Amino acid sequence: MSNTPPDVSDAFVKVSFQEDSDGDPFYGHWFDQASAKHSGPTILISEYLRKLYPGHSLLRTSDYRLNLLGFPGVDVQAISPSELITSIRFQPLPKNAGPVPGAIAHQVQYGAFKLTWQTKNFILYIATWPVGFSDVSMHFLLHEGPEDLSRELLLSAGIWADQLHDEIWVFNQGFWNKDGGLWKEVQKANWSDVILEDEFKAALKKDVNGFFSSEWTYKQLALPWKRGLIMYGPPGNGKTISIKAIMKECDAKGYSPLYVKSFQSWMGEEGSMAAVFAKARQNSPCVLILEDLDSLINDSNRSFFLNELDGLQGNDGLLVIGTTNHFDRLDPGLSTRPSRFDRKYLYDDPSRDARVLYVQYWQGKLKDNDKVDFPDGLVQEIADLTDRFSFAYLKEAFVSSLVTFLLDDEDGKAGDFETSIKSQIKTLRKQLDKGAIERPVAPTVAPVPRELVKDVRPLLDAVARKLALSPYGSSSNGMGILPSAGIAAANEKDIRPLLDALAQRLSLSEHAGPPRSGDEGISTSTLPGGHVKWE
């Protein structure tokens, strides 16, 4: 056995600094990745594209509205379909839209395309990469020659994207979006379906149409060409259908309807308000709809809203319409001051005449139905039986009775429409009466008769003496120690004026009358059927 000690160097990995002739194939990639170079994909891609396409102008944009792949009139062809990278998402479709319940949508992450627009050829590269917590998608548009044609193409795409195509602008969660579904719903509305008394409906239509046709009059009188309306009253009496009819008519005449769902967003309520009015001014003349105004405006944003409504910014051509079921919750700066909301239209529960009009509306709809016997006498009976019914209640009475009657008729059950609708009205009447009982009622204080005030005076005297004896309630620290006579007299002297004032107030309340409408600075005029128009 050899006594030669082992070579210590064998116990370690031999590290050589001599360069290997073959080299490390991964080293260059890792060096580029780990060298902490400044990140600038836009500059990098632009430089590569200039080298690939010499003699081409290059424009860049990250504006999502300049969607060249979806711009009508542009012919698109992928340069290399196999290298196209897309992100796929599922888009559900309404069941009544067709046999297919959904569709697959593709969003380009990377792709190169040949575009043809007005016989001119372009090349488009799309690349997406992460920035912070989101992604940025950049479009690189090349054209062989000056960039003027590329700018014209982008401008045309932007103008088209900002126009409405059977859509309505809707503001929600801090963004404006074009809603085709709402436009379709609005097209179903007609003024003939808005059941209001003739004078009331005529006044509302004249207010809306007269505003858009009177620009010259406003200018001639040196008045700001703007107007505000508020529709208010209990729910179910026609505010929403009136709004839809106004939106449809304005859209048909070229006055874009803009609809606001909420001011809450990532940019804050004031930022949302600024975005809403900026869009309205851009689309002027137009109609701006603020539904449920009492929930949109609060103490924290009211001042900013009022400034946008009638501050330094010009609002020429803006017709602002607000609706509310709770007029009493509105700030007086909105509910009582003209030039902000100039007219207030009360949508109250319909009068008998209005109920007759609504029943006749259904009589006309059912006149060609041989199974439904609907004589004029029944019209008057239904109007009498539906006192305090809102239009929503009236509609439910007709819908439920017709469904029940027609289903019973198919099953061969005996019955008639008159019996069916009277039965439904009776059921709805019970619901209405129950709702009235359960609805919280604000407490009222009845005037106190003078003779009762006289009887109360000795009681108040006793209270004064009791309080004078015990300035801390019943006793000091619960030990039964009473104050001195001097302190008691001083306390009685302090409390006596308060109790005298209370007695005097009770005495005066006997003669107090109800508040007058003029006390609130509001003048009113009553339209037929009980509808009130606030001036």
Side-chain angles (χ1 to χ4, degrees):
M1 185 173 183
S2 174
N3 293 326
T4 305
D7 189 349
V8 179
S9 63
D10 291 341
F12 296 92
V13 176
K14 191 177 291 186
V15 177
S16 173
F17 290 94
Q18 183 179 359
E19 185 176 351
D20 193 331
S21 58
D22 294 335
D24 182 357
F26 181 66
Y27 172 77
H29 296 287
W30 175 249
F31 181 84
D32 287 341
Q33 180 69 22
S35 60
K37 294 181 179 179
H38 177 73
S39 175
T42 303
I43 298 175
L44 178 66
I45 296 174
S46 298
E47 185 64 23
Y48 280 157
L49 291 179
R50 285 195 178 102
K51 292 179 180 179
L52 286 173
Y53 299 96
H56 286 63
S57 58
L58 174 62
L59 294 180
R60 295 161 295 273
T61 179
S62 60
D63 192 335
Y64 68 93
R65 293 169 296 183
L66 302 179
N67 179 17
L68 297 179
L69 298 183
F71 180 33
V74 171
D75 182 61
V76 180
Q77 180 182 358
I79 293 177
S80 179
S82 62
E83 295 177 334
L84 187 64
I85 300 175
T86 62
S87 175
I88 297 176
R89 60 185 178 87
F90 173 73
Q91 180 64 46
L93 299 175
K95 291 183 178 180
N96 58 2
V100 181
I104 294 296
H106 296 261
Q107 183 176 7
V108 176
Q109 302 292 305
Y110 173 83
F113 306 90
K114 291 181 179 180
L115 307 182
T116 302
W117 178 68
Q118 295 184 352
T119 71
K120 305 298 181 182
N121 297 320
F122 303 85
I123 296 174
L124 175 67
Y125 277 82
I126 299 176
T128 303
W129 58 85
V131 174
F133 295 100
S134 61
D135 293 337
V136 61
S137 183
M138 187 69 71
H139 289 53
F140 302 84
L141 183 63
L142 297 120
H143 174 65
E144 190 171 11
E147 64 182 32
D148 294 350
L149 287 176
S150 296
R151 289 183 178 276
E152 186 179 345
L153 171 57
L154 292 174
L155 178 61
S156 299
I159 293 173
W160 185 88
D162 200 56
Q163 293 173 339
L164 294 172
H165 310 281
D166 294 343
E167 298 155 325
I168 288 176
W169 281 115
V170 176
F171 186 85
N172 192 30
Q173 299 298 318
F175 296 96
W176 281 107
N177 293 293
K178 295 188 287 187
D179 193 327
L182 178 58
W183 183 87
K184 292 179 180 178
E185 285 299 315
V186 164
Q187 301 313 300
K188 300 176 183 178
N190 294 289
W191 278 113
S192 59
D193 297 325
V194 180
I195 310 302
L196 298 170
E197 294 184 26
D198 292 342
E199 188 174 348
F200 183 83
K201 186 195 291 190
L204 176 61
K205 294 176 67 175
K206 182 179 180 180
D207 232 343
V208 174
N209 297 326
F211 170 74
F212 289 113
S213 62
S214 58
E215 178 183 6
W216 183 84
T217 303
Y218 277 82
K219 301 299 183 184
Q220 188 181 38
L221 297 174
L223 297 174
W225 182 37
K226 63 177 184 177
R227 192 159 182 80
L229 311 176
I230 290 182
M231 301 176 180
Y232 74 102
N237 283 317
K239 293 188 293 294
T240 299
I241 185 64
S242 296
I243 287 293
K244 288 182 177 180
I246 291 172
M247 293 172 74
K248 178 182 178 180
E249 189 170 35
C250 289
D251 179 64
K253 294 181 178 180
Y255 307 124
S256 302
L258 286 72
Y259 179 81
V260 176
K261 283 188 175 181
S262 171
F263 285 132
Q264 296 181 353
S265 74
W266 59 273
M267 68 176 72
E269 292 182 337
E270 293 186 358
S272 293
M273 289 177 180
V276 164
F277 278 92
K279 188 72 171 178
R281 294 176 189 120
Q282 175 204 341
N283 285 267
S284 171
C286 66
V287 55
L288 177 61
I289 307 297
L290 305 174
E291 199 155 14
D292 295 327
L293 190 61
D294 55 287
S295 65
L296 292 176
I297 312 302
N298 53 53
D299 291 340
S300 62
N301 64 29
R302 178 181 63 251
S303 178
F304 191 91
F305 176 79
L306 295 179
N307 187 58
E308 288 289 330
L309 194 61
D310 65 353
L312 298 178
Q313 292 272 18
N315 287 333
D316 272 7
L318 296 193
L319 174 63
V320 183
I321 301 180
T323 70
T324 179
N325 297 334
H326 307 284
F327 187 81
D328 56 306
R329 298 181 186 175
L330 291 181
D331 184 87
L334 294 174
S335 60
T336 64
R337 175 174 168 176
S339 82
R340 287 172 177 166
F341 288 98
D342 309 278
R343 287 290 182 269
K344 288 82 179 177
Y345 289 94
L346 172 59
Y347 282 72
D348 208 349
D349 291 337
S351 64
R352 187 185 185 281
D353 289 342
R355 296 197 301 274
V356 168
L357 288 175
Y358 188 82
V359 178
Q360 289 174 338
Y361 166 79
W362 276 94
Q363 185 186 36
K365 288 171 67 79
L366 298 171
K367 66 180 181 180
D368 295 329
N369 193 318
D370 297 335
K371 298 180 180 180
V372 177
D373 185 20
F374 205 147
D376 292 340
L378 183 58
V379 171
Q380 303 299 324
E381 283 192 73
I382 294 175
D384 290 333
L385 292 171
T386 53
D387 180 45
R388 295 189 297 114
F389 273 39
S390 66
F391 282 121
Y393 263 74
L394 284 167
K395 180 179 180 181
E396 173 59 22
F398 277 96
V399 171
S400 57
S401 61
L402 284 169
V403 170
T404 302
F405 167 68
L406 294 176
L407 287 176
D408 287 347
D409 185 73
E410 290 179 0
D411 295 339
K413 299 179 181 179
D416 56 72
F417 172 68
E418 179 176 350
T419 301
S420 179
I421 194 167
K422 287 183 177 180
S423 174
Q424 292 297 329
I425 291 173
K426 184 177 180 181
T427 300
L428 290 171
R429 171 66 65 188
K430 292 179 181 178
Q431 295 179 9
L432 184 65
D433 293 340
K434 182 180 179 182
I437 293 173
E438 294 179 349
R439 187 181 299 117
V441 179
T444 57
V445 179
V448 181
R450 187 175 296 277
E451 60 270 17
L452 182 57
V453 175
K454 181 178 180 182
D455 295 336
V456 166
R457 174 67 67 178
L459 176 61
L460 297 179
D461 290 340
V463 170
R465 289 192 296 273
K466 180 69 174 179
L467 291 175
L469 291 175
S470 179
Y472 304 107
S474 59
S475 63
S476 176
N477 297 326
M479 298 174 62
I481 302 175
L482 298 179
S484 65
I487 297 177
N491 287 330
E492 182 175 1
K493 182 178 180 181
D494 291 339
I495 199 69
R496 174 63 61 185
L498 297 177
L499 297 179
D500 287 343
L502 175 61
Q504 183 180 10
R505 179 65 179 268
L506 292 174
S507 176
L508 290 175
S509 68
E510 177 184 6
H511 305 287
R516 297 168 298 173
S517 62
D519 294 340
E520 299 176 356
I522 307 173
S523 62
T524 62
S525 59
T526 304
L527 295 172
H531 294 291
V532 178
K533 181 169 69 173
W534 297 58
E535 304 293 342

